[in-house]
């Protein structure tokens, strides 16, 4: 693979109760363990950062495949839900649900676009076979 861009971030402090900063300082955050995992909460956590990155990346992939098929993705939204829990082997694992709103696209066509985006999205390709990723097309609101 020819690398087109490389991002770099550094974690300091106590891992999940520490601090992260990208090399260009565009992202700089304190981290805290979520209350649900026994921490204090009140700051970002790695799962939120992963969810934000996956949602943005998947949305870009979705818009790319939509352009190719000339689909109208006006008003499209991608929400990534990232869960963490014990993996049964002494460690932890992640599970992802991608919830996609495509209000201007008929449901079966929307599902096809989402499936196609899942094949080209770098996050989807990186996680495939490693974590469960569920794809959900949200029902359009009744007019």
């Amino acid at each position: 693979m020819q690398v087109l861009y490389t991002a770099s971030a550094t974690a300091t402090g106590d891992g999940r109760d520490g601090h992260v900063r990208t090399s260009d300082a565009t992202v700089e955050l304190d981290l805290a363990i979520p209350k649900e995992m026994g921490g204090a909460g009140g700051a970002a956590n790695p799962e939120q950062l992963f969810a934000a990155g996956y949602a943005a990346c998947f949305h870009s992939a979705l818009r790319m495949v939509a352009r190719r098929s000339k689909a109208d993705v006006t008003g499209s939204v991608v929400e990534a839900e990232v869960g963490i829990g014990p993996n049964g082997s002494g460690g932890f694992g992640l599970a992802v649900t991608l919830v996609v709103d495509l209000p201007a696209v008929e449901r079966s066509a929307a599902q096809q676009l989402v499936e196609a985006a899942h094949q080209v999205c770098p996050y989807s390709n990186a996680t495939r076979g490693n974590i469960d990723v569920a794809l959900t097309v949200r029902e359009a609101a009744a007019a």
Side-chain angles (χ1 to χ4, degrees):
M1 177 181 91
Q2 178 188 355
V3 174
L4 301 175
Y5 169 76
T6 300
S8 176
T10 302
T12 56
D14 194 19
R16 289 180 165 273
D17 272 329
H19 188 84
V20 291
R21 182 183 185 276
T22 58
S23 58
D24 63 2
T26 57
V27 176
E28 186 163 4
L29 300 167
D30 288 328
L31 301 176
I33 297 172
K35 288 180 180 180
E36 297 85 348
M37 293 177 66
N45 63 64
E47 290 69 40
Q48 291 171 322
L49 299 173
F50 187 75
Y54 204 158
C57 189
F58 194 87
H59 202 187
S60 290
L62 179 66
R63 295 181 66 80
M64 181 187 76
V65 298
R67 273 192 306 277
R68 289 180 183 167
S69 65
K70 305 205 183 329
D72 179 5
V73 292
T74 302
S76 60
V77 176
V78 174
E79 176 184 346
E81 301 169 351
V82 175
I84 183 171
N87 65 8
S89 300
F92 289 85
L94 299 175
V96 174
T97 299
L98 298 173
V99 181
V100 181
D101 289 313
L102 291 168
V105 181
E106 186 272 323
R107 184 167 177 76
S108 66
Q111 188 67 43
Q112 289 177 350
L113 289 172
V114 168
E115 295 286 343
H118 191 46
Q119 296 306 309
V120 299
C121 173
Y123 275 64
S124 292
N125 288 329
T127 59
R128 188 170 290 111
N130 296 308
I131 65 173
D132 292 332
V133 177
L135 305 174
T136 301
V137 175
R138 189 166 289 159
E139 289 289 334

